[in-house]
Amino acid sequence: MNEQPTGRYYASKQYLLPADNVETQRLNTQHNMIVNAFGGKLFVAPTNLTTGDRVLESAAGSGIWALEFFEKNRTEGVTLDIECIDISSAQFPSTHPSEVHFSVNSVVNLPNPDWTDTFSFAHQRLLVAAMNDTLWRSAVAELFRVVKPGGWVELVEIEAQDFSTWSVGPNSTKLASLINALYGGKGVIGDLSVYLPVILKEAGFVNVQCDPRRVTIGGEVDATPHKITEVKGYGSDMWRDLWMGMKGPVIEAGGYGAVDTVEEYEALVQGTEVELKNSKEAYTIFFAILARKPENT
Ligand SMILES: C[S@@+](CC[C@H](N)C(=O)[O-])C[C@H]1O[C@@H](n2cnc3c(N)ncnc32)[C@H](O)[C@@H]1O
């Protein structure tokens, strides 16, 4: 589906961000920032992987996490077999090691029975803008099915409930309210750090834990690394590019009484960028939710 008025390419009606080259660039920059937020770690689950283990990278996007995770393990003498899935192949890398596989699949409907009890570790990052309650429950049930008994899942997400943490002026406050309406209309679950642990336990997972990391937005961030993360965080331009990516769904929904045209939305996002650059107050929270499938399943 190509959204001509916005010049962005969207692969799905349900997922609110584009699947084009501009978005690939944003995801790759954001990847580095998130890894920094987790102290330079690609994952925090207490996995103990060995050569030949199979790993699932759900919602792989550009595949940057999987490729770095594969390389890191290989340099440590562990050669993994990684399955990367996404609903769109548009951002998949053109070249990759033969042990890293890419396929078009949805996490709510993984190959069955082929992948049942297959993966020693499943990693999934930033599906917040793609899911509603029904889809999350199906995804968690599928992850439970495809992970081996004793295996871990790690779901990395961003706070999407309390937009007041980055509402630092009239534009950012208006944008926050607009995005809140967009998310509400799509059934997006904002408080995933509360919601996911509940549905993971309901699905049968144990050892469910949440590891939150506070990340500065704007400011400009590198001048004042946050005392908890001590990393750069989200530059105001990165935060701008995130919301620019949602212009298609915003305009398609009629602008929620906040904007009437693409140009008005772009001006609102640009105004937000300026407010964030000039404020030292804004932040968001990333968190990794860990859960283990019991051994005796
Ligand atoms: C914000 S991007 C994150 C990509 C990658 N995980 C990262 O952190 O760089 C979300 C990705 O989820 C994918 N996605 C959306 N719905 C999905 C689904 N039901 N199953 C699998 N992937 C999905 C999108 O196509 C997109 O590539």
Side-chain angles (χ1 to χ4, degrees):
M1 175 195 353
N2 205 342
E3 300 282 353
Q4 288 303 340
T6 64
R8 304 298 300 266
Y9 168 73
Y10 296 85
S12 135
K13 283 268 180 201
Q14 177 65 31
Y15 176 51
L16 297 171
L17 284 165
D20 53 22
N21 289 339
V22 174
E23 175 66 359
T24 299
Q25 200 56 46
R26 187 191 75 78
L27 287 178
N28 290 347
T29 308
Q30 180 178 257
H31 163 82
N32 293 328
M33 189 268 293
I34 298 172
V35 173
N36 275 341
F38 283 91
K41 295 181 187 161
L42 285 166
F43 66 105
V44 291
T47 59
N48 188 16
L49 299 171
T50 55
T51 290
D53 278 350
R54 295 184 72 188
V55 172
L56 176 66
E57 166 63 338
S58 173
S62 69
I64 189 166
W65 181 90
L67 296 176
E68 288 189 9
F69 185 70
F70 178 80
E71 233 13 86
K72 180 184 184 300
N73 278 277
R74 185 154 70 175
T75 56
E76 292 168 1
V78 176
T79 304
L80 300 169
D81 190 88
I82 305 185
E83 291 285 353
C84 300
I85 63 125
D86 200 290
I87 51 163
S88 165
S89 62
Q91 294 170 286
F92 287 169
S94 49
T95 60
H96 49 85
S98 60
E99 297 90 343
V100 184
H101 317 279
F102 286 84
S103 64
V104 174
N105 274 298
S106 169
V107 65
V108 303
N109 186 21
L110 295 172
N112 191 358
D114 307 22
W115 286 3
T116 300
D117 292 336
T118 291
F119 299 102
S120 303
F121 180 40
H123 174 267
Q124 177 180 281
R125 194 171 65 190
L126 294 172
L127 264 189
V128 58
M131 309 298 260
N132 56 29
D133 177 54
T134 307
L135 293 170
W136 271 119
R137 287 174 189 278
S138 302
V140 164
E142 280 296 76
L143 291 171
F144 189 84
R145 177 176 68 77
V146 302
V147 168
K148 273 183 171 172
W152 286 89
V153 300
E154 178 161 339
L155 309 179
V156 179
E157 289 294 344
I158 185 171
E159 166 64 44
Q161 176 92 335
D162 185 7
F163 293 143
S164 69
T165 66
W166 55 272
S167 299
V168 292
N171 287 288
S172 48
T173 302
K174 187 173 173 183
L175 179 64
S177 151
L178 191 166
I179 299 299
N180 215 11
L182 172 69
Y183 279 10
K186 289 280 179 183
V188 166
I189 312 274
D191 59 342
L192 289 175
S193 62
V194 176
Y195 170 85
L196 285 176
V198 172
I199 65 165
L200 284 160
K201 285 178 200 161
E202 282 174 10
F205 283 102
V206 295
N207 300 120
V208 180
Q209 302 153 50
C210 178
D211 182 344
R213 306 288 168 131
R214 183 171 153 151
V215 167
T216 304
I217 306 171
E220 261 318 90
V221 283
D222 48 351
T224 53
H226 189 268
K227 60 181 180 297
I228 297 175
T229 62
E230 295 192 50
V231 297
K232 286 181 64 172
Y234 255 118
S236 50
D237 55 343
M238 284 171 71
W239 199 246
R240 173 202 66 205
D241 291 346
L242 166 63
W243 303 116
M244 281 295 185
M246 292 197 186
K247 59 185 158 182
V250 167
I251 297 306
E252 191 178 286
Y256 296 98
V259 294
D260 288 325
T261 62
V262 175
E263 290 74 23
E264 278 179 34
Y265 181 72
E266 288 175 348
L268 181 62
V269 175
Q270 277 153 1
T272 298
E273 178 188 4
V274 173
E275 288 174 10
L276 289 167
K277 200 173 215 162
N278 294 329
S279 166
K280 300 243 180 247
E281 305 300 318
Y283 68 92
T284 187
I285 297 176
F286 282 93
F287 42 85
I289 309 276
L290 312 180
R292 193 171 60 85
K293 182 167 170 176
E295 293 283 358
N296 55 353
T297 315

